Structures are given as structure tokens and as C-alpha cells.
Amino acid sequence: MLGLTLLLAAVAATATATGYIDGREYVYAYKGVMYTGYPRMKPQYSGTAFENNIIIQPHGDYALIKVVNIKRTRFNDEFENVARHPFDYQDIPDGPLHKPFKVYRKNGIVTHFEVTKGEPAFSVNVKRGLIALFNLNFDEAEAAISTEDNDIQKPDPDRHYYKVYEKGVLGDCETAYVIEHHPFHKSPHNNIVLNVTKVRNYHKCNSNPNQVYGTFYGHECGRAEHEKSHTLHGNAQYKYNIRGYRHNYVIEKIYAVGEIAYTPYPLEGQTVAAKMK
Ligand SMILES: *[C@@H]1O[C@H](CO)[C@@H](O)[C@H](O)[C@H]1NC(C)=O
């Protein structure tokens, strides 16, 4: 069996300010590398790496977001450690990605966002991916049902572990939350912190994550069986370092890694779960 692995990896954002307050500006460093390869066959990877800054300006019920200093590089080469490779980036000239956009959130979850009229789909998708990182579902802790034993648990706003279904770029998938408190003791003030680990399981989704794009990059999947790929394995992990409380916080750092392995073509004789959005 051939396994083709798509790895989405290493997205890190660091805040340089404390407290989302209207009229202030929050600047994050945002970088990442996404690549595909053939695991255990050859250390060859192809993909793209990027680096930029994100400026967030909160205004009442929405925030204005600007992506600035966008640098990118593409590669197709052999690497010892592709995720840590020091890439040479090129500046991206002003274009749709640089256009500011408005994001509306409610209870920690993005409800909608507004881009400039006529913005191309790739730019809208990059922005959708970026803002999805900010989704934090703290409210569900109060209502969540444990899927393990079908137990209805007592509402507990301080629960440290729970599972919810959460919408992301790749679908509405089961997402487990683990909430811990590990203050950085050298900072003398504001030592109320949340260290959140979020794990999304792409095997448990209300919409199938891997049928949006087919084997041929950038083409939307047809309904034909031979165009559908099979997920062998897929999950994503996010770590958040947050200062504040569950309903009043500033995200200081987000770190995300994801991995999806799939066969490019259906396996012989296997029934395909044909769920299309
Ligand atoms: C937990 O989050 C706080 C606030 O961002 C951070 O200072 C601290 O280093 C984090 N601790 C760990 C173990 O990640």
C-alpha cells in the first residue's frame, strides 16, 4: 500500500502586548511550513514555508486584522529536518493577502469574517485558516457530553478535559480540550494563565475532511470514486499559551502541528464513505 503524507506543521504566533483592549494593537509573529512527502521512503519534501506579522486591532464586536511583511518560499528537495530548516524567504509584493479584513467572534469562536469584494479564493482561504487558529471553545465545557461512556456530566465551567465538535478549515470534527495552568514564574504580574492543548481528530467529523480537494492539487473533487482519497490517519494538535481567564484573555502563543496521511486512490474493493458537503 502506498502512503502519501501531507503534513501541515509548525505554526507559531507570539504576542507582543497584553490584553485585547479596543484602540490597542496586537502584533503576532506568524510562521509556518507545509509540506508533503513519502514517509520512510525518501527524505524528500515539497511544500511552502512562510513568515509574516499579524496586526490585530480590536473594535467592539469585531477585530480588524492585517497581514504584513509577508515572506514565502517554495521547496522541493531533500532535508534532514524540514520543519527546522532555515529557509531563504522572498518578499511577497502587495496583493490580496495584504488587504485588511474584519473578523467577528462570539464566545471565542469566529462567527464570520469580511474580506474585500472580489478577493480571490486563495487569499480568502489563507485568511480563513489563520483566523481558525483563534477558535477556543471554553463555553462547551459547561454543556459537553463525554463521548467515552455516553455519560451526561454535570455542568462544570472549570472542567479541564472535554470533547466537542468544532468547525475548522477541514470540517466539523471532534476536538478534545485539555486545560492546565502553568504560569511563567518570572513574570511578576498577571499570573492567571491557561495552557490549552486542543487535539482535532479527523476520523470523527460531521463532514469528511479529505474530499474537498482531490489528488490533483487545487482541483475540487468530483463525485467519481476514482477521484476520492482515503484518510489513513489524520489529526492536528494545537497548544495555546493564554494570559487571563476563560472569558477574558489574550492569546500569547499558538503552536500547531497537523498530519494527514492518505492513499491517493481508493483501495481495491473498499467501500467509500461518500459524504460530500
Ligand atoms: C503557560 O502559559 C503562560 C501564559 O502565556 C506562559 O507564560 C507559560 O510559559 C505557559 N507554560 C507552559 C508550560 O507552556
Side-chain angles (χ1 to χ4, degrees):
M1 196 192 337
L2 180 73
L4 177 71
T5 303
L6 170 67
L7 301 150
L8 307 162
V11 177
T14 317
T16 55
T18 49
Y20 294 113
I21 297 167
D22 281 7
R24 282 198 193 164
E25 201 170 79
Y26 301 89
V27 182
Y28 289 84
Y30 181 41
K31 54 184 186 175
V33 46
M34 288 163 214
Y35 49 91
T36 57
Y38 298 89
R40 286 185 290 276
M41 285 173 77
K42 207 176 171 203
Q44 172 146 4
Y45 302 96
S46 63
T48 173
F50 65 90
E51 215 177 65
N52 55 55
N53 283 344
I54 310 287
I55 299 175
I56 301 184
Q57 297 169 337
H59 292 275
D61 63 343
Y62 70 90
L64 195 69
I65 300 190
K66 283 184 220 167
V67 187
V68 298
N69 303 331
I70 309 177
K71 295 178 204 301
R72 190 187 58 184
T73 184
R74 292 204 172 106
F75 54 85
N76 182 4
D77 216 336
E78 295 197 6
F79 296 95
E80 224 167 84
N81 186 340
V82 64
R84 282 164 200 267
H85 187 79
F87 291 104
D88 277 331
Y89 296 95
Q90 289 94 48
D91 285 316
I92 300 278
D94 254 15
L97 287 174
H98 294 81
K99 294 216 165 91
F101 56 106
K102 282 184 183 174
V103 178
Y104 295 80
R105 282 165 97 223
K106 203 173 173 212
N107 301 331
I109 301 290
V110 173
T111 54
H112 60 289
F113 66 111
E114 291 169 2
V115 296
T116 317
K117 208 173 161 216
E119 204 167 303
F122 87 89
S123 170
V124 177
N125 284 335
V126 167
K127 290 172 180 178
R128 182 178 288 134
L130 163 66
I131 59 185
L133 285 175
F134 287 85
N135 279 335
L136 280 170
N137 211 329
F138 290 141
D139 283 334
E140 292 291 329
E142 296 161 29
I145 294 167
S146 154
T147 46
E148 234 87 281
D149 43 14
N150 278 338
D151 239 10
I152 301 188
Q153 308 210 343
K154 274 201 202 127
D156 175 7
D158 292 323
R159 275 175 73 185
H160 293 285
Y161 176 72
Y162 53 92
K163 284 179 181 169
V164 294
Y165 271 78
E166 195 172 284
K167 286 207 177 78
V169 180
L170 293 179
D172 184 15
C173 302
E174 189 187 82
T175 306
Y177 277 80
V178 177
I179 302 177
E180 295 169 308
H181 304 274
H182 300 295
F184 179 61
H185 290 291
K186 284 183 187 146
S187 54
H189 307 295
N190 289 336
N191 262 335
I192 311 287
V193 303
L194 300 167
N195 302 93
V196 179
T197 306
K198 189 166 113 171
V199 179
R200 286 170 68 72
N201 178 354
Y202 292 129
H203 290 288
K204 290 191 179 173
C205 298
N206 289 327
S207 52
N208 195 317
N210 270 350
Q211 292 178 4
V212 182
Y213 287 99
T215 314
F216 305 101
Y217 170 72
H219 291 265
E220 205 138 337
C221 255
R223 281 169 195 267
E225 293 299 301
H226 73 272
E227 288 186 20
K228 289 182 183 135
S229 57
H230 282 259
T231 306
L232 301 174
H233 155 78
N235 68 51
Q237 272 186 50
Y238 303 80
K239 284 193 192 294
Y240 293 84
N241 283 345
I242 295 168
R243 204 160 290 274
Y245 307 87
R246 292 190 195 196
H247 295 279
N248 182 4
Y249 58 80
V250 172
I251 299 172
E252 291 189 332
K253 202 175 173 91
I254 306 172
Y255 179 78
V257 294
E259 184 177 317
I260 292 174
Y262 59 90
T263 58
Y265 300 104
L267 310 172
E268 289 271 330
Q270 183 170 332
T271 322
V272 178
K275 265 193 256 163
M276 299 285 291
K277 271 208 283 186

